[in-house]
Amino acid sequence: MTFFNKLTIVFISILFGFVLMNPITSFAQLDSSTVRNLLEERDDEIKDLLGPKGTEYTQEQRDRLKDIINGIIDYRAMAQQALQATYDTLSEERRDEFVDLFSTIIRDQSLNKLDIYRAEVKYEQINVEDSSATVKTLAQLEKVRTPVSYEMKYDGQSDQWVVTDMIIDDVSTAGSYQRQFQNVIRKKGYDSLLETLRKRAAK
């Protein structure tokens, strides 16, 4: 399994973490029931767009799915954690390029296996404290059950919740990127990692 295929796996349930909030509803950010309702509404929206198994999609529908699935991932936070100290050594321009490449690859790979987004989700626990939330779910696709947890933060500036990490089968997504990227940086340097990402994003 290639490095980038591994990146796909950790995003199998990302759609369940999407929550949109506007200034009118932002006062309810501490209400776990509100968080759950919004999660379920987003889940329903994606399933409605997916349609039955075997459905063929127009490019417009695929773009829409890509936007919903990846719309509120905090790529910059994940990239910063993945690069660790290297991130602080980069200019703002180089940071932006890395985040852009990183997000492009994830967005493109998120549509590789659409059936995974048909999983039924059980919300087991939602804890909201100040501007942070932890959502624990159990996703079931056919006979396979996968525990998925989301670490989220509330962005007051944009009035929306964003996903900062996903823990799938006790494996942290942000931590997985950190290990993979740091391994490349140690062996070949940051420029080698960047060139690999450029080639992948161009496909």
Side-chain angles (χ1 to χ4, degrees):
M1 182 179 294
T2 67
F3 166 58
F4 289 105
N5 283 338
K6 290 179 181 178
L7 298 187
T8 302
I9 294 175
V10 298
F11 279 89
I12 61 173
S13 301
I14 182 62
L15 71 153
F16 305 118
F18 290 166
V19 184
L20 298 180
M21 298 187 72
N22 57 44
I24 297 177
T25 60
S26 61
F27 70 90
Q29 65 172 297
L30 299 181
D31 186 346
S32 61
S33 63
T34 300
V35 172
R36 174 170 178 162
N37 289 339
L38 293 171
L39 288 169
E40 290 175 332
E41 289 173 5
R42 184 57 54 178
D43 183 15
D44 290 341
E45 181 180 355
I46 294 174
K47 283 183 168 62
D48 287 344
L49 186 55
L50 282 176
K53 190 173 182 178
T55 298
E56 295 186 3
Y57 306 98
T58 65
Q59 186 59 50
E60 181 179 356
Q61 289 172 319
R62 292 177 66 84
D63 289 343
R64 176 58 178 156
L65 281 169
K66 191 184 297 185
D67 287 342
I68 298 173
I69 292 168
N70 299 280
I72 63 165
I73 301 174
D74 192 337
Y75 291 112
R76 187 169 296 276
M78 285 191 177
Q80 186 170 1
Q81 180 169 340
L83 291 180
Q84 293 188 308
T86 302
Y87 186 87
D88 294 332
T89 69
L90 302 177
S91 66
E92 192 65 31
E93 182 178 357
R94 299 196 78 191
R95 290 176 184 177
D96 290 343
E97 180 186 11
F98 182 86
V99 174
D100 183 62
L101 292 170
F102 181 60
S103 61
T104 296
I105 291 167
I106 299 307
R107 284 172 58 84
D108 289 345
Q109 290 191 332
S110 66
L111 300 189
N112 284 354
K113 296 181 179 180
L114 288 174
D115 281 345
I116 58 180
Y117 302 118
R118 293 187 170 89
E120 295 299 322
V121 181
K122 177 182 179 182
Y123 294 90
E124 298 190 317
Q125 188 175 9
I126 302 177
N127 294 323
V128 180
E129 184 175 354
D130 297 329
S131 60
S132 299
T134 299
V135 181
K136 296 183 178 181
T137 75
L138 185 64
Q140 180 165 342
L141 182 62
E142 297 178 346
K143 295 183 179 180
V144 179
R145 293 184 177 182
T146 305
V148 182
S149 297
Y150 302 95
E151 295 298 329
M152 306 174 69
K153 69 179 182 181
Y154 183 78
D155 184 347
Q157 185 173 358
S158 62
D159 292 304
Q160 72 176 31
W161 287 90
V162 292
V163 175
T164 58
D165 194 14
M166 293 155 290
I167 298 88
I168 302 174
D169 268 340
D170 297 322
V171 178
S172 162
T173 299
S176 294
Y177 284 121
Q178 177 180 311
R179 289 188 293 273
Q180 295 286 349
F181 288 173
Q182 290 303 313
N183 186 49
V184 175
I185 291 172
R186 282 195 301 270
K187 291 181 177 180
K188 300 180 179 180
Y190 172 76
D191 288 340
S192 178
L193 173 62
L194 188 64
E195 186 60 29
T196 300
L197 295 178
R198 284 171 177 163
K199 291 178 180 179
R200 182 62 183 178
K203 291 184 178 179

